[in-house]
Amino acid sequence: MLKKTLIFSSLISAILFSSPSISSDDKLVLKQDYPEQYTVKKGDTLWDISALFLDSPWFWPKLWKINPDINNPHLIYPGDELTLSWHNGNPVLSVKPLKKLSPKMRKVVKEPVPTLPTSLVVPYLQLDRLIDDVNYQTSYRVLGTSDGRKFLSSSERVYVDAELSHKEWGIYRVVNEFSRQDDKASSYALRLVGVAELAESNEDMSGLKIIKQQQEIAINDVVLPISSDEIKTELTTTFYPQPAPKDIDVSILGSIDGGEYLAVNQVAVIDKGSNDGLLQGSMFSLKEEGNIVNGNKGEYYYEVDKDTKKKGIQLPQTEIGELIVIRPYEKFSLALITKSEMPIHKGVIAVSPDEE
């Protein structure tokens, strides 16, 4: 029996499985000790399972064989049996759904296996978020409370500078600002500090009843509507890994809360989004740019002559990690670091695995 050994930071170097009938574009990165069968267990994630078969999780969609027994072959559930087989020289993975025979009809709600632990993803689908500059400038703001207090008990009210009609509202604190170099777009990172419901409203202002408060609520905090329908229809925890689009120049802007260095399981802000073709599950390899060496034999040194623009020998890039997009916005995205061999910083290069 194969023992699951996946830890996000321990995906090892690719071992390419070669076959005369597999082109270079179709090669799959298979584990040397992959199982022929595996039964999905409660608590598994798609990342866990993909690591049983693959060293490079972005090849997950290529491994699947479309199975007529299920609507979506990328959605698997506890109890499903996965089988690896070979067709025309290519490895394929099929699924046999769990079926229970019972004399009585029972309605069971099955939750599909999430891609990553929900504790790492859900906060960025439902709580912390990015907002573009235009929406930030026009967003509603907290006016304050009648007595000036910042910590409120349940059902107490905070006032907002607009006439509102939506029922549920989130109150957010700006924790960082990010900018793109190519089109000068800006985005603000917001952290949820409170949840409230509309209690009263007139043409000058509205009163919100506090339902939950995570930290102090201050004047000028941003107030945005909470829409569960938006999260359900556009964002999910069951997306699957896939290579990011080729030829896309991506920069890491830092962590959502302003930190300069990131490690495994932390969330980075990157300067590309859905307008650039990114989706939930888009994956990048992270590389450290190699140093440039100047000088002659026996007198080499790490330095670029900035005055003459003369460059020496460019040393190769070093692969140091991976990240996966968990929430794309139009021009920016939030991406989870899934592998890191050293601290990830702004100078790290993010490239599509398809470009390697």
Side-chain angles (χ1 to χ4, degrees):
M1 287 295 292
L2 174 70
K3 183 179 179 180
K4 294 189 299 178
T5 59
L6 175 66
I7 300 176
F8 284 145
S9 58
S10 66
L11 289 174
I12 63 175
S13 301
I15 302 172
L16 295 179
F17 188 97
S18 59
S19 170
S21 59
I22 302 178
S23 68
S24 60
D25 290 336
D26 293 328
K27 284 182 180 179
L28 294 178
V29 184
L30 296 178
K31 304 283 279 193
Q32 285 184 313
D33 52 355
Y34 62 85
E36 293 184 357
Q37 291 185 325
Y38 178 73
T39 300
V40 181
K41 299 178 176 59
K42 185 177 181 180
D44 280 347
T45 67
L46 189 59
W47 203 276
D48 293 330
I49 297 168
S50 68
L52 297 177
F53 299 95
L54 302 172
D55 278 325
S56 300
W58 49 81
F59 284 109
W60 184 247
K62 290 185 179 181
L63 188 61
W64 276 105
K65 175 184 177 183
I66 300 299
N67 191 317
D69 293 334
I70 55 177
N71 294 326
N72 187 339
H74 302 291
L75 295 183
I76 52 179
Y77 301 82
D80 288 352
E81 185 176 288
L82 308 180
T83 302
L84 186 71
S85 57
W86 295 84
H87 292 268
N88 299 321
N90 294 299
V92 293
L93 192 65
S94 57
V95 59
K96 181 180 180 181
L98 173 67
K99 293 183 179 180
K100 291 185 178 180
L101 300 178
S102 173
K104 296 181 179 180
M105 295 290 292
R106 291 183 299 174
K107 184 177 180 179
V108 179
V109 178
K110 294 176 65 178
E111 292 291 337
V113 169
T115 303
L116 300 163
T118 54
S119 61
L120 299 178
V121 178
V122 168
Y124 299 98
L125 303 186
Q126 300 180 352
L127 304 178
D128 298 345
R129 59 193 296 179
L130 299 179
I131 185 174
D132 61 53
D133 185 61
V134 173
N135 285 313
Y136 173 73
Q137 298 298 337
T138 59
S139 63
Y140 305 133
R141 304 302 175 95
V142 169
L143 287 172
T145 61
S146 295
D147 56 9
R149 288 185 297 118
K150 295 181 179 180
F151 284 96
L152 309 176
S153 61
S154 178
S155 299
E156 290 191 296
R157 296 186 184 182
V158 63
Y159 292 93
V160 180
D161 63 351
E163 183 177 9
L164 306 179
S165 59
H166 187 75
K167 181 180 179 181
E168 294 182 291
W169 294 87
I171 302 172
Y172 297 86
R173 178 78 35 77
V174 177
V175 292
N176 206 356
E177 180 181 359
F178 302 96
S179 298
R180 284 178 60 150
Q181 297 300 316
D182 53 359
D183 63 2
K184 306 302 180 184
S186 295
S187 182
Y188 294 84
L190 304 180
R191 175 145 295 162
L192 186 71
V193 297
V195 176
E197 288 185 352
L198 182 64
E200 59 182 289
S201 182
N202 58 51
E203 60 183 12
D204 297 319
M205 69 183 70
S206 298
L208 299 180
K209 181 176 64 174
I210 299 300
I211 303 300
K212 181 172 61 176
Q213 187 173 359
Q214 299 183 177
Q215 63 184 81
E216 68 177 21
I217 294 174
I219 292 177
N220 294 314
D221 279 345
V222 174
V223 181
L224 299 173
I226 294 177
S227 175
S228 58
D229 291 339
E230 176 186 355
I231 294 172
K232 290 178 181 178
T233 58
E234 297 184 7
L235 300 167
T236 175
T237 59
T238 56
F239 54 90
Y240 57 89
Q242 57 191 300
K246 294 182 180 180
D247 303 321
I248 181 172
D249 184 18
V250 173
S251 295
I252 294 177
L253 302 178
S255 70
I256 192 169
D257 59 0
E260 294 187 6
Y261 294 93
L262 300 106
V264 172
N265 294 347
Q266 290 186 315
V267 172
V269 178
I270 61 176
D271 68 343
K272 295 295 183 291
S274 58
N275 287 356
D276 305 289
L278 297 190
L279 306 168
Q280 269 192 311
S282 293
M283 291 205 65
F284 291 90
S285 293
L286 300 177
K287 298 190 174 185
E288 184 80 76
E289 187 70 82
N291 281 311
I292 296 175
V293 178
N294 278 319
N296 300 314
K297 186 182 292 290
E299 298 179 347
Y300 295 128
Y301 59 92
Y302 293 126
E303 187 176 349
V304 176
D305 189 336
K306 298 181 180 179
D307 294 331
T308 63
K309 305 298 183 182
K310 181 181 178 181
K311 291 187 178 181
I313 301 171
Q314 174 70 64
L315 299 182
Q317 295 175 344
T318 303
E319 185 169 340
I320 61 172
E322 299 164 352
L323 62 76
I324 183 171
V325 173
I326 59 173
R327 183 166 188 177
Y329 293 82
E330 288 186 357
K331 295 187 177 183
F332 298 84
S333 294
L334 299 179
L336 183 75
I337 306 293
T338 57
K339 176 183 177 181
S340 171
E341 297 179 0
M342 63 175 59
I344 305 300
H345 56 85
K346 293 181 181 180
V348 169
I349 301 168
V351 299
S352 170
D354 274 350
E355 295 183 36
E356 299 182 344

